[in-house]
Amino acid sequence: MPKREKPSTRSLAARQRAFDRLVRAVGPSWNDLVEFAGVLDASLKATTEREEVETQQDRLHKAQELWHQKIEGMRPRLKRLAQVMNGDAASYLTLLDRIDRACLSTSLEEFEYVLKEEFARDKEQFREAFRQVTTLDELDHRYAQALLDARVYLETLEGVPDGDALTAELDVVRAHFGLETFCQQPSQAGVVLEEFGRWRQSYSTRYQIHYREYRQQLTTLTGRLEKLRYQVEGLALMNEITELGATVGAPLPIHYKDLLARCDTQALPEELPDVREQPIFHGITLLTEGPEQEVAELEQALENALQRRLWQLADETIAAILKKQTDSPIQALLAAIQAADTLKLAEQFTPEVAELVRRLLQEARLVIVDIRFADYDGPAQFGDDSKELEELVAAFHAFLVKEMAAARKAYPGKIVRLNLKSG
């Protein structure tokens, strides 16, 4: 078998040059695509030197990677901007995807394929699409986060009074938040953010004034509630004496504690809050007011409840029982009753006095039975005819006699007093 000759170095070099020519014939050369690559990096240039081509392609890959990373960051923020502004970002997201495809290509062949598929291999189409992406990039890195923060601030905002100047100004600011405008002219976002900043400063000043007044209102209401402490405690002690019958104003002590807690300013520092980051501090809005009306209603309800207890304790039977006790606490209580002073009555009704009253009533075997007007089922109307009035009085008298008989039967051997209650 004849011996094969080893190829010469010259023939190997010739074959390599032929292979290189074949590769260049099959795929695009650097110079074929340099005008498109220059859109991503203006410093790229045409060349036929192998090493320079490799250098140029490396720089293209870096530019592609840079813009891919930018687009990856832009995409979610653009979606979020569209969401908070109720805008449509679909066309801009599609544009990002098209440019991103070009950035993700790893070879000249793939780069050219994407250019054909997405941009008809038209340099001006590609350049215009990339220009819009650079505009979106400006919006993203200069304004996007500030716009998102502003919109979140406005979404969190509440309690601005209707018809207020702040509301009118706010409507104008909100109307200027337009996604389409910002995507085309990012500088407009800066203008709107300046408008928002001015409005937020006005709101912050108003809020701090309101906060100071609100805190002072709570302090004043706390002072009024503190003055009711003896009435509340005294009423509660009276209600614990079962011999005095059913409770009067039973919910008032609980309501009192609730109002005290609501008026507590310990969680509200005297230092004015900074609401430039969050528009609301501790749930306080410009509409938040202290429970002024509820405190006034509590004051009146306490007065009414104590007045009823005063009338009850001033009853001749009960008063006679209490007068048998010569201890000074009871005598002070009787003086308050005689003076019809509900505040003094409550102040004198200490735990010691409550125990003495309970013991005296128990020793006297007194029991107070509540009866309801609603249980009366006789005639309830009358006119000018005196006979009708007599019939009504007689019927109601019969009702009371029956109730008294039932009470005495229920509490044999005790002094029974009936207490008429509405309802």
Side-chain angles (χ1 to χ4, degrees):
M1 185 174 179
K3 186 177 180 181
R4 298 180 63 181
E5 294 184 4
K6 184 178 181 180
S8 67
T9 303
R10 180 176 295 180
S11 62
L12 286 174
R15 290 182 184 182
Q16 183 64 49
R17 287 194 296 273
F19 178 74
D20 289 343
R21 285 195 299 272
L22 177 62
V23 169
R24 286 196 294 273
V26 171
S29 68
W30 169 252
N31 289 343
D32 291 333
L33 298 176
V34 69
E35 61 179 347
F36 293 95
V39 171
L40 299 178
D41 182 347
S43 68
L44 297 176
K45 59 184 180 180
T47 181
T48 56
E49 296 293 328
R50 176 182 297 277
E51 290 185 2
E52 185 60 23
V53 167
E54 291 178 356
T55 299
Q56 295 289 305
Q57 285 190 249
D58 286 343
R59 288 167 58 186
L60 171 61
H61 292 328
K62 288 179 181 178
Q64 288 174 309
E65 178 61 23
L66 172 65
W67 279 102
H68 168 66
Q69 294 298 331
K70 286 185 176 185
I71 291 171
E72 286 285 280
M74 271 190 262
R75 196 177 282 118
R77 283 187 287 272
L78 183 57
K79 289 180 180 178
R80 179 63 180 145
L81 278 175
Q83 181 183 8
V84 300
M85 294 184 196
N86 296 317
D88 185 3
S91 61
Y92 296 105
L93 291 169
T94 299
L95 182 64
L96 290 178
D97 290 341
R98 293 171 66 203
I99 293 296
D100 200 25
R101 281 195 65 194
C103 292
L104 289 172
S105 59
T106 58
S107 65
L108 291 178
E109 291 82 1
E110 188 178 353
F111 186 45
E112 183 180 49
Y113 176 79
V114 173
L115 292 173
K116 288 178 180 178
E117 288 290 309
E118 298 292 347
F119 308 100
R121 209 180 185 283
D122 184 313
K123 184 180 73 171
E124 292 310 313
Q125 255 194 69
F126 184 54
R127 187 187 300 280
E128 177 56 27
F130 184 71
R131 184 200 63 76
Q132 179 62 69
V133 169
T134 60
T135 301
L136 293 175
D137 177 54
E138 180 186 358
L139 173 65
D140 182 63
H141 79 265
R142 292 190 63 182
Y143 305 109
Q145 192 57 56
L147 288 170
L148 287 172
D149 291 343
R151 290 299 301 189
V152 169
Y153 189 96
L154 295 177
E155 291 298 321
T156 308
L157 179 70
E158 58 179 283
V160 180
D162 292 336
D164 191 279
L166 275 177
T167 304
E169 294 168 8
L170 179 59
D171 290 342
V172 173
V173 172
R174 279 180 167 148
H176 289 165
F177 276 83
L179 180 68
E180 181 69 25
T181 299
F182 295 160
C183 287
Q184 293 295 331
Q185 302 178 58
S187 61
Q188 286 302 305
V191 174
V192 173
L193 286 172
E194 287 180 3
E195 289 181 357
F196 167 72
R198 288 191 293 271
W199 181 88
R200 182 172 56 182
Q201 184 57 52
S202 298
Y203 168 78
S204 177
T205 301
R206 172 80 72 79
Y207 187 95
Q208 289 181 340
I209 293 172
H210 175 74
Y211 174 85
R212 183 173 59 246
E213 293 174 348
Y214 171 68
R215 192 178 184 283
Q216 181 57 51
Q217 182 187 30
L218 294 185
T219 301
T220 301
L221 291 175
T222 298
R224 285 169 60 180
L225 289 169
E226 289 291 348
K227 293 179 180 179
L228 301 177
R229 186 177 300 277
Y230 287 122
Q231 288 98 310
V232 172
E233 293 174 351
L235 180 63
L237 288 169
M238 295 177 205
N239 283 335
E240 290 175 3
I241 302 175
T242 56
E243 289 76 13
L244 289 175
T247 59
V248 177
L252 295 180
I254 296 174
H255 189 35
Y256 173 75
K257 290 181 180 178
D258 174 62
L259 285 174
L260 267 179
R262 288 165 59 187
C263 294
D264 186 5
T265 60
Q266 288 187 4
L268 304 179
E270 289 189 33
E271 180 182 355
L272 298 178
D274 184 349
V275 290
R276 287 174 296 181
E277 296 298 326
Q278 296 292 333
I280 298 173
F281 179 75
H282 273 271
I284 301 168
T285 73
L286 294 181
L287 295 177
T288 302
E289 298 291 341
E292 184 102 28
Q293 183 63 31
E294 291 183 64
V295 171
E297 291 172 356
L298 176 68
E299 290 170 334
Q300 187 60 57
L302 267 174
E303 176 62 27
N304 293 341
L306 288 170
Q307 192 67 53
R308 289 173 60 187
R309 282 302 191 193
L310 181 65
W311 292 336
Q312 189 179 41
L313 291 167
D315 175 82
E316 289 184 6
T317 302
I318 296 177
I321 293 171
L322 296 180
K323 286 177 182 178
K324 293 179 182 179
Q325 178 68 36
T326 58
D327 289 352
S328 58
I330 292 295
Q331 294 304 311
L333 178 66
L334 287 169
I337 295 171
Q338 183 66 32
D341 189 333
T342 54
L343 177 56
K344 286 294 184 182
L345 172 68
E347 289 177 346
Q348 294 300 325
F349 221 90
T350 63
E352 177 189 4
V353 170
E355 186 57 36
L356 282 171
V357 171
R358 180 186 291 108
R359 180 169 58 80
L360 290 171
L361 296 180
Q362 286 176 345
E363 290 174 353
R365 299 182 64 78
L366 176 73
V367 62
I368 296 177
V369 178
D370 291 320
I371 61 173
R372 301 186 307 156
F373 280 114
D375 292 335
Y376 168 70
D377 58 359
Q381 296 183 9
F382 63 94
D384 294 332
D385 190 340
S386 60
K387 194 172 183 178
E388 288 182 330
L389 176 59
E390 290 172 2
E391 289 176 353
L392 186 148
V393 170
F396 194 67
H397 178 268
F399 165 70
L400 295 177
V401 169
K402 186 178 73 169
E403 291 292 331
M404 177 61 79
R408 283 175 175 163
K409 184 177 179 180
Y411 300 97
K414 291 196 174 186
I415 301 174
V416 175
R417 301 288 292 171
L418 295 184
N419 183 44
L420 292 175
K421 296 188 68 175
S422 61

